[in-house]
Every structure is written in structure tokens, then in C-alpha cells.
Amino acid sequence: MSLVELIAQADERGLATSGLACLDRCVPLLGVGEPEAPDEDVLRPLWASLAEDGAQWGPRLAAARGELSAADGEGEAADLVRRMLGAAPERAMADAWREWADACSVAALQVHRMLDPGQDSASGVSARREGSTDGMSPLVAAELRRQTQILELLAGGGAGGLRQALVVSTEGRRVLRAVVSRRERGFG
């Protein structure tokens, strides 16, 4: 099943988790986790909110936005991450979650595409989200797998799905942080 189909079929919790996971994987682009920058777990209270069926989502989102407003990441990729954060719904509504999850999916794939030194043969990420994987660059392929895996974990409905989604997202954040670090050192 394509990523577009998985998003279309996801419930509110799956959509919220999908959007948050995309954002969480991309926060290293804002300088998060570096000295004198916000902690890399700045979004952890939002994950806790999802575990509590959305309790305190709005105030926790406002706190995360406040912490990340001073983050100093620069460039087009960092701007995409800021837009993901800015577009996050302040309260639970199915249509808002679906729109956010879809936009975050596109943005996260674009971020990975910008940072991947390999060439992606597609003209954009839409074909990737619809299932076309020919000539896909490695970093984009890994991000597509993570997005798909998270939605599949949550579609299963098990209690551990959210925890497993966080593990998948945390690993993706480590990968992206390593890519950013290599680029800053001039290796990519």
C-alpha cells in the first residue's frame, strides 16, 4: 500500500503520530541538541500527549513552539521544518490532522531529498509517496520506509504502536543528525 493510501486510511491518532514523527525526525535541522540550543527531546511532551489521547496537546505544542522559536537552523530545509511546526493543529480534529500529516510527509521527504548527496531520479516526492521507487536516493528511501512503517504500526492498533513509532522516529533523527553533521564538516 502506498504512503498516500496509508495516510488516507489512518485514524486521528495515526495521523497525529505521523505528523509528529516527521517533525521529530527533522528537528536536527534547527540546531536542536547542540550547545546552547533547545534539547533534542523538545517534542517529547507532545509524544506523551498522544499517549494520553491528546491530553494537553495545545499547551505542550505552544511550549515546543516557544522553545524552538530561538533555534538557529538556516536554509530551505530548516524553513520546511519551521513550517511543519507552525502548521501543527492546536487541537484534535480529523481533517486538520490529515492535512498536517500529509504536509509533514511531503516536507520530510523534501528535506531528506535536499540533504541526500545521491541523485533521486523523480522530479518530486509525490511519485515516491504514491509508490514509485525506481531510482530513489538512499536517504529518501529510508525516510519513505520510516513513514510507511509508522503508519503500519499504528494501523495495527496495539498499545505498543506509539512506543514503536517513537523508536523508529528517534532512529531517523539520529540518521538525519549524522547527515547534517557530515555536511557541516564538508563530507557530503
Side-chain angles (χ1 to χ4, degrees):
M1 187 176 300
S2 76
L3 183 57
V4 171
E5 292 168 323
L6 287 169
I7 290 172
Q9 294 178 7
D11 63 10
E12 285 185 33
R13 186 178 193 188
L15 294 167
T17 303
S18 177
L20 179 57
C22 287
L23 175 61
D24 192 31
R25 285 189 300 280
C26 294
V27 294
L29 292 166
L30 299 179
V32 170
E34 294 179 9
E36 299 183 34
D39 185 270
E40 81 171 9
D41 286 329
V42 67
L43 300 178
R44 189 62 67 123
L46 293 173
W47 284 96
S49 177
L50 293 180
E52 300 161 357
D53 294 324
Q56 299 297 312
W57 173 267
R60 291 174 183 175
L61 176 61
R65 284 177 174 157
E67 279 190 63
L68 290 171
S69 67
D72 63 356
E74 296 178 5
E76 188 178 356
D79 289 344
L80 282 171
V81 178
R82 284 188 186 89
R83 279 184 273 196
M84 280 192 265
L85 179 62
E90 295 183 17
R91 56 191 167 97
M93 296 183 312
D95 289 341
W97 287 128
R98 191 168 315 285
E99 186 177 314
W100 186 55
D102 195 53
C104 287
S105 169
V106 170
L109 286 166
Q110 287 175 329
V111 162
H112 285 75
R113 188 173 185 197
M114 287 177 204
L115 298 175
D116 198 332
Q119 291 294 325
D120 191 330
S121 65
S123 61
V125 297
S126 295
R128 302 308 183 201
R129 296 177 71 238
E130 293 168 2
S132 173
T133 58
D134 293 338
M136 192 170 5
S137 61
L139 197 59
V140 173
E143 174 60 15
L144 183 65
R145 275 192 307 275
R146 284 185 193 93
Q147 288 187 28
T148 301
Q149 184 179 10
I150 286 170
L151 286 164
E152 288 172 344
L153 286 167
L154 294 162
L162 185 63
R163 185 174 43 256
Q164 291 172 318
L166 177 59
V167 169
V168 169
S169 188
T170 301
E171 178 57 29
R173 184 175 356 118
R174 286 185 192 119
V175 168
L176 194 63
R177 189 177 340 107
V179 169
V180 169
S181 178
R182 279 183 60 85
R183 286 177 63 97
E184 287 173 355
R185 291 189 321 256
F187 293 115

